[in-house]
Amino acid sequence: MSIPVGQWLQMLKTDGADSTGESPISQYFQNGYDLPADRTRVFERYQKLTETHVARFNSAEVNIARAPGRVNLIGEHTDYNGLPVFPMAVDRDIAAVFSPRKDRKVVIANTDPGFTERSFEIHESIPPYSTGDWGNYCKAAVQGLLDFYRRKHRDADRFHGFESTFNGDIPSAAGLSSSSALVVLSALIFLASNGLDMHTTPSGRLELADLLARAEHYVGTQGGGMDQAISLMGRSGHAVKIDFFPLRTRSAPLPKEYSVVVANSMVKAAKTAEALDKYNRRPIECRLAAAVLKKTFSDTYRREVPIFLLGDLKEEKLAVPDSEIWKIAGTTFHEDPYTLGEIATILGQTAEKTAQLYCKRRDGSIFPEPEDGFKLQQRYRHVIEEGRRVEQAVQALESGDILHFGELMNQSHSSCRDLYEISCLELDRLVEISREAGAVGARLTGAGFGGCAVSLVEDKRVETFIHQVINTYYRDYLKRKDREYGSMIFPCRAADRAAVLGEIKLRRDRI
Ligand code: GLA
């Protein structure tokens, strides 16, 4: 499975060509990349990465794997509520050169000096580094897979470790899912290093995405499954509608004459404990809202109505007619924020019990009651309406109604700003400027609290669009004086899913 270093370097220097014409690199990158224009961005990067890895680890044979980031077109904070999302995998990735080790040690290095080398032993319970440490994303994947295989009676001491060097070109803390790409990539490296093949079939990849979504909670976020699923299921030229519980995907071709342009607000969506709390407050509010709905429905129908997530509000799940569902749910919440005490009274339990059941962080501590209260009505409305917008957006795209798609993106941004409160002044301004510059739709993308805006722009207007956003947002509004803005605003292509490149040739898979 590993390939001699010289052979990789040869393929990378010649745009992926090798003497057999079956180079894994040319096979993989023929879709979704503008070659040879992307040569520097992809092949030179991988070449340098290989050289750095060999200089550090002195390996003769290595493998290369990569996992793409993503941009979410619509469907924000719906995934952990069991409602769909509509992202695409992008032509930016985290790549790794790696080799298996004979012992149980994992050693990870990074070409970015900001991420210092980490190493740990594979055993049943791997303690995390401090919050925000990059090594936790690798540990999360390894721990998740160990737990999975333990359930299949395979003990931790039967696994090998690996040594790996990483390099990414997904802007970090920007809402483009560089963290989940790192989790997915670490999982692929672990599987490939141990001769496991879960990731080589579509059903195996779905299972892997599902377990990695839960595994990523190791780092302290209570996210859903969008990011891992799109990195493992992305398809070049397509956006992918993802449904949850059970996880399933359906790809839809992107319109040929439009581009997806990503612009970084330059407000960092950080990974500090405080930032995790800001994110986690939303899943907690949604769980509380679902609990209140369950109580209301159960009282109304005098039976236990199975509502655990906001996405459970469906006729077929509740055995309640749709019209009734929306009549009851629509009048359940008042507009004013709730105190924990009020929610506990509704649920007929103590405030302590309510906090224990719904407001826990991963480390077992209790999430403090927000000063401005739990905004159940606003969060409920965003999630339900956003879920509907995703369904409509997929239909609009499939029927070629791009203007309607753009309108839904705009509505999604307003809801993220006003009801879910995950935007910020800079993102609002960037979205506004993007629309003025000609986007048919623009919105924040990803978790929010900073990060990027995504715009849908007609191909023929892309150049003037980018020019105008640079002038109005980066120069006038942020007062930046950079010479180069290519890393802040760029069109994205929908790219293929994560892969271990050295395995493509062996199995002659498409990927
Ligand atoms: C983060 C999470 C995802 C999703 C988005 C918001 O990226 O990892 O699961 O909740 O935020 O849509």
Side-chain angles (χ1 to χ4, degrees), residues 144-291:
L145 284 165
L146 289 176
D147 294 345
F148 173 79
Y149 283 107
R150 191 180 309 141
R151 288 194 290 277
K152 297 192 182 296
H153 309 292
R154 201 172 152 148
D155 298 331
D157 56 12
R158 293 180 54 195
F159 292 102
H160 297 285
F162 53 84
E163 46 207 25
S164 179
T165 310
F166 294 86
N167 169 276
D169 71 349
I170 310 169
S172 63
L176 300 179
S177 204
S178 58
S179 330
S180 297
L182 184 52
V183 173
V184 166
L185 186 56
S186 303
L188 295 188
I189 296 171
F190 178 87
L191 291 168
S193 298
N194 283 286
L196 298 162
D197 61 2
M198 184 178 192
H199 55 293
T200 60
T201 61
S203 61
R205 275 195 295 271
L206 277 180
E207 194 174 12
L208 181 60
D210 210 23
L211 87 84
L212 290 179
R214 268 172 283 123
E216 200 173 317
H217 289 190
Y218 179 95
V219 307
T221 42
Q222 301 183 9
M226 161 167 66
D227 307 342
Q228 303 78 6
I230 188 62
S231 193
L232 281 159
M233 304 301 291
R235 182 167 165 203
S236 113
H238 292 70
V240 182
K241 180 184 180 226
I242 306 174
D243 285 277
F244 301 91
F245 315 127
L247 185 63
R248 49 220 193 271
T249 58
R250 189 177 102 210
S251 46
L254 286 159
K256 293 230 170 341
E257 57 296 349
Y258 285 83
S259 292
V260 171
V261 183
V262 163
N264 195 336
S265 69
M266 305 311 283
V267 176
K268 288 235 173 214
K271 301 277 180 217
T272 56
E274 197 191 358
L276 296 188
D277 269 357
K278 265 199 201 167
Y279 178 93
N280 289 340
R281 172 176 171 178
R282 273 61 186 178
I284 288 171
E285 288 177 312
C286 291
R287 289 202 291 270
L288 289 168

Side-chain angles (χ1 to χ4, degrees), residues 94-112:
I94 301 194
V97 173
F98 69 97
S99 13
R101 288 174 63 101
K102 295 206 166 57
D103 57 12
R104 284 194 275 153
K105 200 165 179 187
V106 172
V107 187
I108 51 170
N110 200 307
T111 53
D112 181 338

Side-chain angles (χ1 to χ4, degrees), residues 70 72 75-77 79-80 223-227 279 446-447:
R70 60 103 184 95
N72 189 18
E76 226 58 87
H77 289 259
D79 56 356
Y80 51 79
M226 161 167 66
D227 307 342
Y279 178 93

